[in-house]
């Protein structure tokens, strides 16, 4: 079947279903089904129903039009029925279903209002006229149905713009990321000073950061950026309750859950904060090319730094500040979102997958799926490229760990040719023109090992890895 065309086919009634999220009516009319059953028994032939291949459910179809006919067919024991499989492309399926529904039997006022609201909630980019045309109402009527939803959506959009702007992401990239025209973005930006006023006035009244975040629906790191505005780094550490390490051993018991998402290979915000403290200044631009759960951007907000983040994992709703980008092995990366920017990062914080550790938890195209040779080859090209996009006095903080194939293997029998040790990264840095200035130990102390596993490792003389290092280069 060609998926790009509407096609008439026979489909098993059991492969068709009613998806309430795209059904515009409140209830099924059982009397109507009864009449249709009678009609079928009298030999009457109905028009084919319309269905859509169900997203995410192979071989299943959801009904766009003909719920009553389909129910009647099922009641009369028909196994297969004629159906048109529609390809809607960008047309909203609920609105399409509503438009067809008002033909035979008008939607009630409540159903019409509800359909307008549900369509807008699924796709806030729909205009009132578009919704109105589908449900048979004027633009003004639709405006009144969705006024409250539109206000909330606008507020959410404002907040996203404020967030991305605070991180120093240029306007063209904010507009692209949020899917809005540059002019709309400029209109919103003009409102920005007023947006922070209510949370700031609550902070002044003595409400705590979490209280303000909850009351105004702001991400907590964004409230921290307001609460700590104009304070120096040391004061920020104190207010965030982070002990400042003086020596080159940065060990933290746990990740700070206020910053970043629960993410495979998540690093503590305190670790990022220490890199920022020692190797950057306030308002510097930080670049995190493999940002994962967003801990770097969140910490930058709290520490008064700007931050650009990229990751192959695209989460536009949860993390609009992380722009999607896949660093592929062969590409030239000249389509990189930041490539044409006038601004250049002052510090790159790079926390890639530690070779194939956690490979099963990252997306398929992750560099953790590469062979050892290709992983190292990738890093060599990557380090060279980072120099190309940087200013002269750029610094790079590279976070990684020794990788040894220690599982199930006594230390004495490990194959060193399989390992990647921190010194191997050093060799690549030397080759690509980076100068190492510091190696800081930041062990994975939060890893909890089950005592049974530890006892088994000890018995077999297996030497595990909890090492992790931050290499600083210039
Ligand atoms: C160790 S995690 C980063 C964790 C992050 N620092 C945090 O604390 O949440 C490495 C990230 O690199 C991303 N990644 C791996 N290969 C990539 C590639 N080829 N292009 C872009 N991102 C990639 C993964 O999606 C993953 O989120």
């Amino acid at each position: 079947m060609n998926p790009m065309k509407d096609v008439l086919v026979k489909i098993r009634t059991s492969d068709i279903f009613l998806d309430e999220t795209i059904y515009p009516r409140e209830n099924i009319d059982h009397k109507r089904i009864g009449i249709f059953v009678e009609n079928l028994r009298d030999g009457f032939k109905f028009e084919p129903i319309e269905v859509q291949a169900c997203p995410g459910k192979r071989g299943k179809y959801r009904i766009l039009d003909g719920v009553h006919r389909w129910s009647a067919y099922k009641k009369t024991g028909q196994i297969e029925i004629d159906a048109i499989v529609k390809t809607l492309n960008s047309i909203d399926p609920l609105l399409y279903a509503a438009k067809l529904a008002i033909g035979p039997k008008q939607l009630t006022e409540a159903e019409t209002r509800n359909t307008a609201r549900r369509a807008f909630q699924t796709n806030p980019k729909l205009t009132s006229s578009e919704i109105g045309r589908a449900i048979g109402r004027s633009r003004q009527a639709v405006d009144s149905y969705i006024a409250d939803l539109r206000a909330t959506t606008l507020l959410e959009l404002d907040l996203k713009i404020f967030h991305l702007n605070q991180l120093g992401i240029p306007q063209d990239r904010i507009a692209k990321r949020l899917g809005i025209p540059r002019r709309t973005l400029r209109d919103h930006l003009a409102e920005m000073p007023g947006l922070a006023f209510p949370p700031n006035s609550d902070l002044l009244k003595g409400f705590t950061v979490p209280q303000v975040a909850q009351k105004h629906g702001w991400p907590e790191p964004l409230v921290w950026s307001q609460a700590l505005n104009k304070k120096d780094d040391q004061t920020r550490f104190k207010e965030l309750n982070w002990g400042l390490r003086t020596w080159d051993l940065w060990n933290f018991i746990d990740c700070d859950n206020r910053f970043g998402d629960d993410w495979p290979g998540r690093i503590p915000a305190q670790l990022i904060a220490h890199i920022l403290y020692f190797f950057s200044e306030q308002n510097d631009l930080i670049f995190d090319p493999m940002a994962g759960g967003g801990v770097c951007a969140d910490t930058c907000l709290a520490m008064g730094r700007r931050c650009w983040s990229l990751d192959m994992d695209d989460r536009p709703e949860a993390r609009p500040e992380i722009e999607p980008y896949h660093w592929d092995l062969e590409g030239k990366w000249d389509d990189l979102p930041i490539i044409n920017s006038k601004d250049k990062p002052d510090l790159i914080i790079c926390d890639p997958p530690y070779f194939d550790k956690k490979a099963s938890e990252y997306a398929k195209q992750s560099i953790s799926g590469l062979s050892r040779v290709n992983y190292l080859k990738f890093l060599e090209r990557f380090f060279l490229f980072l120099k190309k996009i940087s200013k002269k006095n750029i610094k790079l903080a590279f976070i990684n760990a020794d990788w040894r194939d220690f599982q199930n293997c006594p230390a004495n029998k490990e194959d060193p040719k399989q390992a990647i040790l921190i010194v191997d990264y050093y060799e690549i840095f030397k080759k690509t023109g980076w100068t190492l200035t510091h190696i800081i130990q930041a062990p994975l102390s939060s890893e909890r090992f089950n005592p049974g596993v530890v006892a088994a490792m000890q018995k077999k003389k297996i030497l595990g890895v909890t090492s992790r290092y931050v290499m600083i280069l210039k």
Side-chain angles (χ1 to χ4, degrees):
M1 189 192 308
N2 181 347
M4 298 314 289
K5 273 199 189 134
D6 297 344
V7 280
L8 176 65
V9 285
K10 287 210 180 297
I11 302 181
R12 293 169 71 87
T13 44
S14 55
D15 287 336
I16 299 172
F17 70 103
L18 166 62
D19 178 353
E20 301 212 330
T21 63
I22 60 158
Y23 188 53
R25 298 195 190 278
E26 280 178 340
N27 296 307
I28 292 178
D29 183 347
H30 291 283
K31 224 165 108 193
R32 199 155 166 234
I33 298 174
I35 297 170
F36 285 180
V37 168
E38 291 297 308
N39 292 158
L40 286 173
R41 289 196 175 129
D42 290 345
F44 188 83
K45 210 168 160 5
F46 287 114
E47 290 286 301
I49 69 168
E50 289 192 24
V51 296
Q52 184 192 34
C54 186
K57 286 192 191 160
R58 249 190 108 130
K60 299 282 174 202
Y61 298 85
R62 53 183 189 173
I63 303 176
L64 293 166
D65 182 44
V67 169
H68 295 92
R69 279 169 278 161
W70 166 70
S71 306
Y73 281 127
K74 276 202 306 183
K75 277 201 171 194
T76 53
Q78 206 136 319
I79 293 178
E80 275 192 337
I81 58 171
D82 285 341
I84 297 172
V85 181
K86 296 285 298 180
T87 303
L88 292 181
N89 295 327
S90 59
I91 302 168
D92 183 86
L94 172 62
L95 288 185
Y96 182 79
K99 195 167 185 172
L100 295 183
I102 55 180
K105 186 180 171 215
Q106 284 293 322
L107 296 176
T108 65
E109 180 59 20
E111 286 170 343
T112 309
R113 182 171 186 279
N114 213 325
T115 300
R117 291 175 68 79
R118 281 160 57 199
F120 182 76
Q121 274 169 315
T122 322
N123 180 4
K125 289 197 183 118
L126 285 169
T127 64
S128 294
S129 310
E130 283 166 333
I131 299 176
R133 273 198 297 280
I135 59 173
R137 291 290 189 277
S138 66
R139 181 181 56 76
Q140 291 83 346
V142 176
D143 276 344
S144 72
Y145 294 152
I146 63 170
D148 58 327
L149 298 178
R150 181 166 280 148
T152 312
T153 309
L154 280 178
L155 205 66
E156 281 166 7
L157 180 62
D158 268 341
L159 196 54
K160 281 184 190 158
I161 294 172
F162 186 79
H163 191 168
L164 271 58
N165 190 45
Q166 190 82 4
L167 285 166
I169 301 175
Q171 288 188 19
D172 56 334
R173 292 193 349 239
I174 298 182
K176 180 164 178 235
R177 183 65 173 143
L178 302 180
I180 53 173
R182 288 282 292 275
R183 204 161 46 98
T184 311
L185 176 68
R186 276 198 297 275
D187 293 346
H188 280 265
L189 281 172
E191 316 271 309
M192 289 297 123
L195 193 71
F197 186 73
N200 279 334
S201 87
D202 279 342
L203 286 169
L204 282 174
K205 282 182 204 146
F207 287 101
T208 64
V209 168
Q211 283 168 336
V212 174
Q214 202 193 14
K215 178 174 170 196
H216 298 276
W218 278 39
E220 197 173 318
L222 199 56
V223 182
W224 277 112
S225 77
Q226 300 297 299
L228 301 177
N229 191 20
K230 303 215 164 82
K231 303 207 168 153
D232 66 24
D233 281 356
Q234 253 181 299
T235 313
R236 288 177 192 249
F237 260 78
K238 258 193 218 120
E239 296 205 15
L240 288 157
N241 217 5
W242 291 334
L244 183 54
R245 306 285 193 271
T246 313
W247 315 107
D248 57 358
L249 171 62
W250 299 346
N251 49 347
F252 310 103
I253 310 279
D254 275 316
C255 288
D256 185 329
N257 286 329
R258 297 172 297 179
F259 302 91
D261 303 329
D262 187 8
W263 194 262
R266 175 188 195 173
I267 47 175
Q270 305 90 302
L271 173 51
I272 298 284
H274 277 79
I275 298 175
L276 296 177
Y277 182 84
F278 286 106
F279 300 105
S280 75
E281 303 297 332
Q282 292 202 9
N283 204 38
D284 270 2
L285 178 59
I286 315 299
F287 174 43
D288 179 353
M290 295 190 192
V295 68
C296 183
D298 281 358
T299 313
C300 281
L301 284 172
M303 294 297 293
R305 271 71 171 170
R306 296 172 296 142
C307 182
W308 295 349
S309 315
L310 305 175
D311 201 283
M312 62 189 293
D313 222 311
D314 186 15
R315 297 183 296 146
E317 276 310 311
R319 287 280 171 187
E321 73 275 31
I322 303 181
E323 296 167 75
Y325 193 71
H326 176 233
W327 302 95
D328 61 351
L329 182 61
E330 302 306 333
K332 291 194 178 65
W333 304 326
D334 39 19
D335 56 343
L336 188 73
I338 68 169
I339 206 116
N340 293 321
S341 216
K342 271 188 250 123
D343 225 345
K344 300 246 180 283
D346 298 285
L347 167 68
I348 300 172
I349 299 186
C350 180
D351 177 37
Y354 309 159
F355 184 32
D356 77 352
K357 199 175 169 196
K358 300 201 184 283
S360 62
E361 294 172 63
Y362 298 131
K364 246 197 175 150
Q365 302 302 317
S366 154
I367 57 164
S368 53
L370 298 175
S371 66
R372 179 183 179 279
V373 170
N374 279 344
Y375 175 81
L376 294 174
K377 193 165 123 193
F378 171 87
L379 287 183
E380 186 173 328
R381 290 193 49 220
F382 189 62
F383 296 152
L384 267 177
F385 183 78
L386 291 182
K387 293 194 80 183
K388 202 168 110 182
I389 56 165
S390 304
K391 26 171 108 145
K392 214 168 160 224
N393 50 355
I394 181 85
K395 288 197 190 71
L396 167 63
F398 179 72
I399 306 167
N400 218 306
D402 283 344
W403 190 97
R404 287 190 281 100
D405 195 7
F406 68 86
Q407 309 218 354
N408 278 323
C409 186
N412 232 347
K413 301 226 162 83
E414 278 177 34
D415 177 0
K417 289 203 198 87
Q418 298 305 318
I420 306 178
L421 302 183
I422 214 71
V423 287
D424 294 316
Y425 297 113
Y426 173 61
E427 289 302 323
I428 306 178
F429 280 124
K430 269 203 307 196
K431 205 165 153 187
T432 51
W434 289 92
T435 306
L436 182 66
T437 62
H438 303 78
I439 299 184
I440 298 134
Q441 298 178 56
L444 297 151
S445 57
S446 59
E447 282 202 349
R448 313 227 187 280
F449 292 98
N450 152 336
V453 173
V454 173
M457 285 170 71
Q458 288 176 345
K459 198 159 169 217
K460 283 191 178 170
K461 301 197 173 181
I462 291 173
L463 185 59
V465 176
T466 55
S467 75
R468 179 175 54 194
Y469 305 93
V470 182
M471 299 171 91
I472 305 290
L473 303 116
K474 62 174 192 175

